[in-house]
Amino acid sequence: MNYFAYSVRGLLTAVFLSAVVGKVGRAGAFSAFADSLRPLAAVSGPAVRAVALAVVAVESAVCLALILPYTPATLAGLLAATVLLAVFTVVIARSVGRGTTVRCRCFGRSAAPPGRAHVVRNGLLASVAGAGAVAEVTGPAGGLDPGLAAVAWCAGAVAGGLVTVAEDLVSLFRPAAPSTTE
């Protein structure tokens, strides 16, 4: 394992932890997430709740696998993150192509419908997760400074936190809509 793999683990842990908390961390959040899947994933009936539960379960399992100091678990977490993010990318790309305007519940709170930026974000995250898996397998075994590994993990977690609030940060720099009361 190398420092890059540690930073990827930190980034993905922050992203998936934020996603899980956003989907189950407050009253009504899980139901809102499940409801958002109907037009996004073209599922209906009892399958909606099952898919929503599966997504939250896999996201939670990824978080756990990425913090465990056991290489097979870490590799499984990185591969699961890669697959999950690739699926999210495809689902959102299809949704954008169909013109779906449901609110994005990726992190539980966005008011914006999924767009090209979500597709790009998830595609990049899937690529980073895949690169992290490769680094996990091909990186040097042992010999890492624990302090530097912790710094790499924390730097990745900060980057992951920024990814989760990117829409909010971008909205700070958008021009304000003109007031209709003037």
Side-chain angles (χ1 to χ4, degrees):
M1 185 183 307
N2 57 33
Y3 299 117
F4 174 74
Y6 274 101
S7 65
V8 170
R9 289 170 64 187
L11 178 134
L12 294 172
T13 299
V15 166
F16 281 106
L17 184 60
S18 179
V20 169
V21 169
K23 290 175 183 124
V24 299
R26 66 184 194 292
F30 181 76
S31 292
F33 168 63
D35 290 342
S36 75
L37 293 179
R38 290 178 204 284
L40 282 177
V43 293
S44 60
V48 170
R49 191 161 180 81
V51 169
L53 284 170
V55 168
V56 172
V58 172
E59 289 176 338
S60 299
V62 166
C63 289
L64 179 61
L66 294 177
I67 62 171
L68 291 173
Y70 182 60
T71 301
T74 300
L75 182 58
L78 290 166
L79 293 173
T82 303
V83 170
L84 191 57
L85 288 161
V87 168
F88 291 166
T89 302
V90 170
V91 167
I92 293 172
R94 284 183 36 192
S95 171
V96 169
R98 289 191 313 256
T100 305
T101 58
V102 67
R103 288 176 56 177
C104 177
R105 299 292 183 171
C106 305
F107 301 114
R109 65 187 181 280
S110 178
R116 283 184 238 136
H118 294 88
V119 174
V120 170
R121 178 197 63 206
N122 288 345
L124 289 173
L125 286 171
S127 299
V128 168
V134 170
E136 184 73 25
V137 172
T138 62
L144 294 178
D145 179 313
L148 290 177
V151 168
W153 196 95
C154 289
V158 168
L162 290 172
V163 166
T164 67
V165 296
E167 283 181 59
D168 299 327
L169 293 173
V170 168
S171 72
L172 291 174
F173 299 100
R174 285 193 186 124
S179 174
T180 58
T181 59
E182 292 178 14

